[in-house]
Amino acid sequence: MAKAFASQGDMTEKKITFEEVGKDLWAFTAEGDPNSGVIIGDDSVMIVEAQATPRLAHKVIEKVREVTDKPITHVALTHYHAVRVLGASAFNAQQIIMSDMARGMVAERGQEDWDSEFQRFPRLFEGHESIPGLTWPTTTFTNEMSIFLGNRRIDLKHLGRAHTAGDIVIHVPDENVMFTGDIVEYHSACYCGDGYFGDWSGTLDAIKSYDVDAIAPGRGDALVGTEMVNKAIENTRDFVASTYAPAARVAARNGTLKEAWDAVREICDPKFNDYAIYEHCLPFNVARAYDEARGIAHPRIWTDKRDIEMWEALQG
């Protein structure tokens, strides 16, 4: 039987966990599915990551209402990917915030990304008919901005390229907790198909310099305590490096994409094959690593057609 493309065969519902990672700071996690964060201020709430559809976003809202009745006024989106942003309308927030670069990527490739991700991971698009269209921010910034929910300050920062060109992190200094989006993962494969391998480690160093007490990562369990935080950062660094190096060696000798795929599998399978969405991410990660090693500085736009062409090439 042919192997299912990406996560087309993954129809298993995931267990939701809602964990407090600092005072009035919560991580919504689901066994390797996309995480969301909740920041409760004096008089209102910020959501970090909106889920893939309004129906899935309502699962976040249900958890929020278990701990506060304050209105949700802000949604912060760490990057442009469809599984992170297309549920934003459910929150009815006054402000939707992205980096300038992320907004530009919505304009450049948002529809193509939506079409591609819908094909890759149908379970995450439960209730897709409720999506009103692309999610556009009401507020953007270049390097950093602060928002106050009463006296609680929230710092949004672009620390460097990693998972995408426009990644941001959200830091809550009064509890020294950070929401990193997909720059950091825990026991989940990094999706590198739109990433910057050469920059990712430096961006992880920038996060590490905060010496935070907890991280809500993009996927995987909440990370509470410096030991767990540092372990996840270094595991992420190892995953990215282990993907790029063998692909780069193949590219340097003018080898094929299929040869790069085999080389990456040889190194990564023994270390990461039990990580969530490992098989889903691998073909896109290898394709991007191979491109970057051949001097293609910026990720090419993924489309549903390009996805299948690449998968067929890798499967022979």
Side-chain angles (χ1 to χ4, degrees), residues 214-255:
I215 280 178
R219 294 177 186 264
D221 295 345
L223 311 168
V224 179
T226 55
E227 182 178 351
M228 199 170 182
V229 164
N230 289 332
K231 179 182 177 182
I233 289 172
E234 294 311 316
N235 281 356
T236 300
R237 192 192 312 274
D238 184 35
F239 185 97
V240 172
S242 297
T243 301
Y244 182 70
R249 287 193 290 270
V250 171
R253 59 175 174 78
N254 293 318

Side-chain angles (χ1 to χ4, degrees), residues 75-91:
V75 172
L77 302 171
T78 65
H79 60 288
Y80 73 96
H81 281 153
V83 294
R84 298 293 180 182
V85 308
L86 292 180
S89 62
F91 297 101

Side-chain angles (χ1 to χ4, degrees), residues 66-280:
E66 291 176 6
V67 296
T68 183
D69 60 0
K70 296 173 183 176
I72 296 169
T73 55
H74 296 75
V75 172
L77 302 171
T78 65
H79 60 288
Y80 73 96
H81 281 153
V83 294
R84 298 293 180 182
V85 308
L86 292 180
S89 62
F91 297 101
N92 293 312
Q94 297 166 13
Q95 288 194 52
I96 298 174
I97 307 159
M98 290 181 181
S99 69
D100 292 333
M101 181 65 73
R103 188 194 186 283
M105 298 182 87
V106 173
E108 178 191 48
R109 58 184 70 193
Q111 186 63 54
E112 290 85 350
D113 179 73
W114 179 357
D115 295 342
S116 172
E117 292 199 56
F118 182 82
Q119 172 182 252
R120 297 178 190 183
F121 215 146
R123 179 175 57 79
L124 287 184
F125 287 87
E126 172 191 341
H128 63 89
E129 66 279 355
S130 62
I131 301 169
L134 292 173
T135 296
W136 295 95
T138 62
T139 305
T140 66
F141 65 97
T142 302
N143 294 317
E144 60 183 276
M145 70 178 293
S146 294
I147 290 173
F148 289 83
L149 302 184
N151 290 316
R152 169 160 267 182
R153 190 181 94 220
I154 303 165
D155 296 330
L156 297 87
K157 299 192 176 189
H158 172 66
L159 298 177
R161 301 185 301 190
H163 176 67
T164 73
D167 295 334
I168 65 170
V169 302
I170 294 90
H171 182 234
V172 185
D174 63 64
E175 287 291 303
N176 199 25
V177 170
M178 186 175 283
F179 300 81
T180 63
D182 289 315
I183 303 172
V184 177
E185 312 286 27
Y186 181 70
H187 211 77
S188 180
C190 301
Y191 175 74
C192 311
D194 299 303
Y196 292 80
F197 286 93
D199 293 2
W200 204 313
S201 184
T203 304
L204 290 173
D205 287 340
I207 289 172
K208 198 167 187 177
S209 71
Y210 280 77
D211 194 22
V212 294
D213 296 318
I215 280 178
R219 294 177 186 264
D221 295 345
L223 311 168
V224 179
T226 55
E227 182 178 351
M228 199 170 182
V229 164
N230 289 332
K231 179 182 177 182
I233 289 172
E234 294 311 316
N235 281 356
T236 300
R237 192 192 312 274
D238 184 35
F239 185 97
V240 172
S242 297
T243 301
Y244 182 70
R249 287 193 290 270
V250 171
R253 59 175 174 78
N254 293 318
T256 66
L257 177 63
K258 178 62 166 64
E259 289 172 328
W261 162 263
D262 292 336
V264 172
R265 293 211 75 124
E266 183 179 358
I267 299 299
C268 289
D269 281 8
K271 294 199 283 187
F272 307 119
N273 68 358
D274 64 337
Y275 277 29
I277 67 166
Y278 174 71
E279 292 291 344
H280 172 111

